[in-house]
Amino acid sequence: MKIITVVGARPNFMKAAPIVAAIREHNKQAGQTYDGLDGQIADPTIDHVLVHTGQHYDALMSDSFFADLNLPAPDIQLEVGSGSHVLQTAHIMEKFEGVLLRERPDLVVVVGDVNSTIACALVTAKISFDVAGTRPLLAHVEAGLRSFDRAMPEEINRVITDHVSDLLFVTEESGIRNLRDEGISPDAIHFVGNTMIDSLLTFKDKADASTILSRLGLRAQGSGNGNGNPTARYALLTLHRPSNVDNRDTFQEILHGLEGLAADCPVVFPVHPRTQKRIKDFGLELATSIRVDATECGTGAKGIILTDPLGYLDFVCLMKHAAVVLTDSGGIQEETTCLGIPCVTVRENTERPVTVESGTNMIAGTTKKGIADVIRRQMGRKYSNRMPRKWDGEAAERIVNISVRAYCERASTRPLNFRSPLIPSCR
Ligand code: UD1
């Protein structure tokens, strides 16, 4: 059985890494079981190909994650780089078609909701290997999430990817409801848990070895960086959504909402390349901001501490010890829920409601007053967060098992242009 897994942008790497590891584990046991009826192997070895579209290409946005997450180097690199959404998506589609025709996989796995996700999903759904229209199965990991905000590029990517996928792997129960409401067959929907949380649970202890707290001056002077060392009280901030940073007034309003917090404690702000450009283009002065290179030593002074984008282990270490995390990212809402750290989401909505219902997340909106109010409430709140169902570190294993079953079912019934899911759901 041949599987292609696609990664392209930063949040894809931690979602795909556990799947690659689960395939490696599967192969240690595979090839043993035979189906009695036609002698076909029911537990085949998986030939795995990792494709990187190159949507993110800077070392700090891509390479460092491969090292931190023990991801093997990509087998195929498409090197598409940046561009308008249309051009980026089109370039990926064009190059990925060549990959599929050459590799002829049985299954393509796409993760998340970035442009690489929708581009490779569309190619997989439309490709034809022969006159009968044979094509690979398509699996979407993180299916069913909906912000119900079609102005978000990711919402378009999610909806379309879900509607052309054969196997929909869902992270939280809202995803099941959304997909059913959109008419997707329950047989295609598999509630498996969250592979991003698989990564977090695998690496969160290792993240304690990061030296980032010392490098930013957030440890007591002279202390090392292991567990148990005193940590300063600080907040962690990420902002990169076009709707937040591409408009000067909105970006400025958000920064005003953070002023009270920055006067109270250091606010560590690893700055995404898109956001770096906007700060420069708009000539924004981040009051009391200090620029710290990720390798140099900060003073831990109050104010906004700007850094380059950080690696996975450094960022997890900063999340674990933060008093509060402020973000417009989707994944960070989930990671803080898992870690039990208060999260202020600087957006009008979330496609991950479980992080609010049973987690540590509050939606602040993007006004100065809304952000300042929610920060105040989060700083004073006591948590007894519950871990969302199936966020147990075993999502990737479930995904591999279900995928292998789908492949075997398909091989034994052989409908050449596979369209409808053949396997029972594992809810
Ligand atoms: C993309 C995803 C978003 C995800 C985010 C995580 C889409 C539609 N958006 O947004 O869902 O949350 O990644 O980071 O897929 N750039 C660099 N170096 C890089 C990559 C990008 O400098 O390695 C710059 C380029 O100028 C580029 C800009 O950042 O134009 C934005 O990159 P892009 O991939 O278009 O979107 P993101 O904002 O990163």
Side-chain angles (χ1 to χ4, degrees), residues 11 55-58 82 85 114-115 154 240 272-274 277:
Q55 178 176 345
H56 284 176
Y57 43 84
D58 284 350
S82 300
H85 283 234
V114 301
N115 287 343
E154 293 81 2
H240 75 280
H272 184 282
R274 169 190 289 280
K277 284 201 182 87

Side-chain angles (χ1 to χ4, degrees), residues 31-71:
Q32 308 297 322
T33 326
Y34 284 83
D35 180 315
L37 289 178
D38 56 8
Q40 187 197 330
I41 294 177
D43 196 10
T45 303
I46 297 169
D47 176 11
H48 184 249
V49 179
L50 184 63
V51 174
H52 191 330
T53 65
Q55 178 176 345
H56 284 176
Y57 43 84
D58 284 350
L60 294 176
M61 297 294 286
S62 176
D63 302 3
S64 78
F65 289 82
F66 280 75
D68 280 359
L69 291 157
N70 296 334
L71 255 176

